[in-house]
Amino acid sequence: MVKNKICRAVMSFKAPVHIGEKEKIYNITRVFAHSDTLMSGIINAYSLLYGKDETEKLISEFINGTPPFEISSTMPYVNFQYFVPVPLGMDMEEYKNNGIINAENQKELKKIKFVREKDLFEGFPFKYKPTGSFLIPQNEFEKDKERVSLGRIKERARVSIDRQTSSSNIYYFSHFEFEKEAGLWFYLKINNEKFENKVKAAIRLLGDEGLGGDRTCGLGNFEVDFKDDVPQFKSDKSKYYMSLSLVNPKDEDEIKSVVFYEILTRSGYVYSKAGLGIKRKTVSVFGEGAVFSSKIYGRVVDVTPDKFTEHRVYCFGLAFLVPLPEGVMLFGSR
């Protein structure tokens, strides 16, 4: 058995992707998949490969507090520069006042949503320039003179036919097309070595099945590459920790440890052969980038709909935390 074996799963999309923002709303797509959506896809692919009994054994490991593996939410990469969310509460104005960020105005600072993984964990050792939602080193900005682009949202016109009257109704379906050298990635931490090959096989199958909506039309297909080039954190102990996944705290103490946060509501429909079209229970979670004053673990939440007896339905709210390096300037931390 190995502990804390972390790799980077790099997803190279072969087709556009549609990740729903809200049920039955097709003309809006998110660019990234939250950790609960990604975990749901992996578990379903695992079930296709190894069957119901093996899948229930796998899920029981999570329920019993011994997760065989952990994942973060998906995050962007551009030209194989890996980005992570900006820690909530990071004082951009202070970085600007210290000459670290060269921004024209407040609007540029507010647009920054992602920073390079290595810059955050190395304490921002260069001068930086905002370009859209990304913060990149000033010298790279001056060299390329182009915006860092992840891709673009496009719409496809579709027609629905009323079954009774045969009348037609046009509607628009949004999807996101990644640039050639861009895509998504996530951390995969293996806690139990005997599951490693099976989990990686399930993620490869998920790439063939597709991530997100409209997979029967070919959307969401990707190839995945598992890389070991993850940063070596100088210390596992820190004053602050940032979550790279959705988190549902397991008790009052975990709630009290949150310092900066955003609350998201997760809902949707049961995704299985037994439960298609059935709405699951709603749950609230802390979004990615939440900052905590201590290590927390989160929990797996049972969101099985009332009177649904085919199987249990879960929302994964386990925390994937990384220690913030000393010196990160947060509001009120100085």
Side-chain angles (χ1 to χ4, degrees):
M1 182 180 291
V2 292
K3 281 283 188 181
N4 300 329
K5 181 180 180 182
I6 303 179
C7 69
R8 187 194 311 279
V10 181
M11 309 159 78
S12 177
F13 283 87
K14 299 183 290 183
V17 62
H18 173 87
I19 300 173
E21 179 73 24
K22 195 174 181 181
E23 301 89 10
K24 306 296 184 184
I25 303 296
Y26 303 113
N27 62 343
I28 298 176
T29 180
R30 283 189 282 107
V31 179
F32 316 104
H34 292 296
S35 51
D36 61 343
T37 300
L38 179 62
M39 183 63 88
S40 175
I42 294 172
I43 296 296
N44 276 288
Y46 193 95
S47 178
L48 289 174
L49 282 173
Y50 305 109
K52 182 180 177 181
D53 291 342
E54 285 295 316
T55 304
E56 288 182 348
K57 289 180 184 176
L58 177 76
I59 293 175
S60 68
E61 297 277 344
F62 288 96
I63 303 298
N64 296 331
T66 55
F69 69 95
E70 300 168 50
I71 58 168
S72 69
S73 295
T74 60
M75 298 168 282
Y77 72 83
V78 181
N79 296 328
F80 294 100
Q81 299 281 339
Y82 301 103
F83 290 84
V84 296
V86 172
L88 296 176
M90 187 169 156
D91 193 345
M92 293 293 182
E93 186 69 29
E94 193 67 19
Y95 279 89
K96 180 175 179 290
N97 294 339
N98 281 272
I100 298 173
I101 296 178
N102 177 17
E104 300 293 333
N105 48 52
Q106 278 285 336
K107 192 178 290 186
E108 275 195 330
L109 293 178
K110 288 182 178 179
K111 284 183 178 179
I112 301 171
K113 302 297 181 187
F114 297 99
V115 296
R116 295 194 311 175
E117 173 197 54
K118 60 182 179 182
D119 291 331
L120 176 63
F121 297 133
E122 292 176 3
F124 296 99
F126 308 114
K127 304 287 185 186
Y128 295 88
K129 179 77 177 172
T131 172
S133 59
F134 298 97
L135 185 68
I136 64 172
Q138 175 96 30
N139 59 351
E140 293 191 16
F141 180 87
E142 292 173 346
K143 182 175 61 180
D144 293 338
K145 295 291 184 186
E146 293 179 0
R147 296 174 65 85
V148 175
S149 175
L150 185 62
R152 62 197 58 78
I153 293 175
K154 289 187 175 181
E155 287 189 334
R156 292 178 180 176
R158 292 187 176 176
V159 176
S160 62
I161 306 296
D162 188 283
R163 292 181 179 178
Q164 294 184 332
T165 65
S166 297
S167 61
S168 61
N169 179 43
I170 190 168
Y171 67 98
Y172 291 91
F173 194 94
S174 294
H175 59 263
F176 190 85
E177 283 188 0
F178 290 95
E179 298 284 2
K180 186 178 180 181
E181 302 295 335
L184 301 177
W185 71 279
F186 62 94
Y187 285 118
L188 170 64
K189 181 192 291 184
I190 301 295
N191 295 328
N192 190 330
E193 190 177 23
K194 73 176 185 181
F195 287 99
E196 179 175 359
N197 290 335
K198 287 185 174 181
V199 170
K200 287 183 176 178
I203 295 172
R204 291 190 181 95
L205 178 60
L206 177 62
D208 295 334
E209 291 283 312
L211 179 68
D214 232 24
R215 295 182 296 276
T216 54
C217 293
L219 297 190
N221 296 126
F222 63 87
E223 292 180 346
V224 63
D225 189 13
F226 299 100
K227 297 187 175 183
D228 295 325
D229 60 340
V230 294
Q232 297 297 315
F233 301 112
K234 293 179 180 177
S235 172
D236 192 34
K237 296 181 180 179
S238 175
K239 186 178 180 181
Y240 296 108
Y241 298 85
M242 179 177 74
S243 175
L244 296 180
S245 66
L246 299 182
V247 181
N248 187 279
K250 68 177 183 180
D251 55 32
E252 192 73 16
D253 288 339
E254 291 197 347
I255 294 175
K256 290 179 180 177
S257 72
V258 67
V259 182
F260 298 100
Y261 63 93
E262 175 187 21
I263 294 179
L264 304 179
T265 300
R266 303 298 292 159
S267 59
Y269 292 87
V270 176
Y271 176 66
S272 78
K273 291 179 181 178
L276 284 176
I278 300 175
K279 202 166 185 178
R280 65 179 175 85
K281 291 181 179 177
T282 299
V283 63
S284 295
V285 295
F286 291 131
E288 298 88 348
V291 176
F292 299 87
S293 59
S294 61
K295 282 187 177 180
I296 69 164
Y297 297 94
R299 63 171 182 160
V300 178
V301 185
D302 191 329
V303 292
T304 307
D306 293 335
K307 300 181 181 178
F308 181 73
T309 58
E310 297 297 327
H311 57 75
R312 307 308 298 172
V313 183
Y314 298 100
C315 177
F316 283 81
L318 297 176
F320 193 102
L321 299 184
V322 290
L324 284 180
E326 192 174 345
V328 171
M329 291 185 272
L330 302 172
F331 289 109
S333 63
R334 293 169 302 284

